[in-house]
Amino acid sequence: MSKPVTGAFEKTKGWLDWYDGPSKPRFVLPAGAVDAHCHVFGPGAEFPFAPERKYTPCDAGKAQLFALRDHLGFARNVIVQATCHGADNSAMADACRASGGRARGVATVRRNVTDAELDALHQAGVRGVRFNFVKRLVDFTPKDELMDIAGHISRLGWHVVIYFEAVDLPELWDFFTALPTTVVVDHMGRPDVSKPIDGSEFELFLRFMREHPNVWSKVSCPERLSVAGPPALNGEQSAYRDVVPFARKVVEEFPDRVLWGTDWPHPNLKSHMPDDGLLVDFIPHIAVNAELQRKLLVDNPMRLYWPEEGRT
Ligand code: 0GY
């Protein structure tokens, strides 16, 4: 399909080249659907990338994100601070402010963040902080510093988003289970989908959710987790089909604690850039009826990010 919004999908220079011609999804999203995991990158001239970043993306700003939202049929976004912006939340907060109430945010903060800074982020629409344990993305932060932050933000009713690799869950277990807030896991804790779904690694993740009702999961990023790849690479009809059983299991066992997001503009994907329309078409494979789809895409994200609207 050609560009849905003239100009809004124009590419900028850089090695990270997000897909600028997303197809119109065949799956019609329920009214009020929330893309609960996406990012903004810069634009770098206005919002410089962090000196400590591990990658330098191309620009992918709020206008492009909002155009994608409208093209795919989402009503709202949750914009997650990307590591390339470090703890400078300006681009993310600016996008939230500019959204007319249709975007909320997840920030990265340091231990020395002040109450006034947190209040300003809350005012902009931030409702959580992200702790990243993926070693290729961030330098190590001591756990006592993160625990201080978790204590600090809980007064605002915020939650903690955690991003880690499946092999690291045993080591991180005690820290995660001590967090005093709602905890949202990015991308199901990155399971190795070439391993059995009933193997010990994914079982540990399921146990984490079973034993801790404050733990939620994003069932996002099939394009990151898949070994099979998209249809264009392997000639199959169903995109990222090897991720389906894992995501479907989480959606069906924990229907009230799952979220979904595009992950646009897909940082660090090198083998292929996904068609975001195709990603939306993945949803009915993992949430197989209207009730599960409504919980995943509307009820759950609304409860977490727009609780004042009173959706149960
Ligand atoms: C994601 C995944 C990645 C990157 C980041 O903040 C980030 O830089 O989250 C990744 O490289 O796996 O969720 O966007």
Side-chain angles (χ1 to χ4, degrees):
M1 167 177 165
S2 59
K3 292 178 182 178
V5 181
T6 313
F9 280 94
E10 256 154 32
K11 270 186 271 187
T12 45
K13 278 195 292 181
W15 63 266
L16 181 64
D17 195 359
W18 46 274
Y19 185 62
D20 65 359
S23 57
K24 194 84 183 165
R26 277 172 298 170
F27 174 60
V28 179
L29 291 162
V34 181
D35 175 353
H37 186 92
C38 51
H39 310 284
V40 286
F41 296 156
E46 193 180 350
F47 301 109
F49 299 111
E52 73 272 21
R53 68 189 179 277
K54 305 292 183 202
Y55 62 93
T56 302
C58 64
D59 286 340
K62 57 182 184 277
Q64 294 156 329
L65 175 65
F66 298 156
L68 181 73
R69 173 198 69 199
D70 296 344
H71 171 70
L72 297 176
F74 285 101
R76 307 182 194 219
N77 297 109
V78 178
I79 307 174
V80 177
Q81 174 76 355
T83 56
C84 56
H85 277 297
D88 177 352
N89 295 287
S90 313
M92 179 272 296
D94 170 72
C96 290
R97 279 191 218 96
S99 72
R102 295 174 68 185
R104 291 260 145 107
V106 174
T108 296
V109 299
R110 307 284 182 232
R111 176 186 248 158
N112 59 2
V113 68
T114 64
D115 280 347
E117 286 165 337
L118 290 176
D119 289 342
L121 287 170
H122 190 86
Q123 193 64 34
V126 170
R127 294 295 180 268
V129 290
R130 191 183 197 204
F131 295 165
N132 201 319
F133 299 90
V134 178
K135 296 175 186 79
R136 68 185 158 78
L137 289 172
V138 284
D139 295 325
F140 174 76
T141 305
K143 294 199 185 81
D144 64 328
E145 175 167 347
L146 297 175
M147 198 52 90
D148 266 10
I149 294 169
H152 206 161
I153 55 107
S154 59
R155 93 178 151 87
L156 291 160
W158 290 10
H159 58 274
V160 173
V161 173
I162 51 177
Y163 190 27
F164 59 94
E165 311 266 1
V167 290
D168 295 325
L169 181 55
E171 196 270 311
L172 292 164
W173 181 278
D174 288 347
F175 173 72
F176 289 164
T177 56
L179 286 167
T181 62
T182 294
V183 173
V184 180
V185 178
D186 275 343
H187 322 326
M188 300 182 286
R190 294 195 61 112
D192 178 346
V193 299
S194 66
K195 291 185 179 165
I197 188 166
D198 56 357
S200 58
E201 213 169 78
F202 197 59
E203 261 306 312
L204 187 70
F205 174 71
L206 294 173
R207 186 155 78 79
F208 181 40
M209 289 199 70
R210 274 181 204 132
E211 291 179 3
H212 300 92
N214 64 321
V215 176
W216 295 39
S217 180
K218 293 178 199 164
V219 288
S220 42
C221 276
E223 75 287 2
R224 241 175 236 296
L225 305 175
S226 180
V227 180
L233 292 186
N234 64 12
E236 296 285 335
Q237 284 311 303
S238 112
Y240 314 117
R241 68 193 186 287
D242 49 346
V243 185
V244 169
F246 291 81
R248 187 169 166 177
K249 171 81 183 147
V250 177
V251 169
E252 292 182 354
E253 187 165 345
F254 311 103
D256 298 310
R257 291 189 269 146
V258 283
L259 302 169
W260 192 88
T262 57
D263 194 33
W264 186 89
H266 311 289
N268 295 312
L269 282 190
K270 300 198 178 80
S271 60
H272 75 289
M273 273 293 148
D275 170 350
D276 295 279
L278 203 63
L279 288 177
V280 171
D281 282 335
F282 180 79
I283 296 171
H285 295 282
I286 63 167
V288 297
N289 61 45
E291 188 190 352
L292 289 173
Q293 291 160 7
R294 198 196 64 242
K295 285 174 182 252
L296 174 67
L297 296 162
V298 187
D299 296 354
N300 299 343
M302 288 301 291
R303 211 164 67 246
L304 196 58
Y305 289 97
W306 284 269
E308 71 279 10
E309 295 196 20
R311 189 176 275 268
T312 51

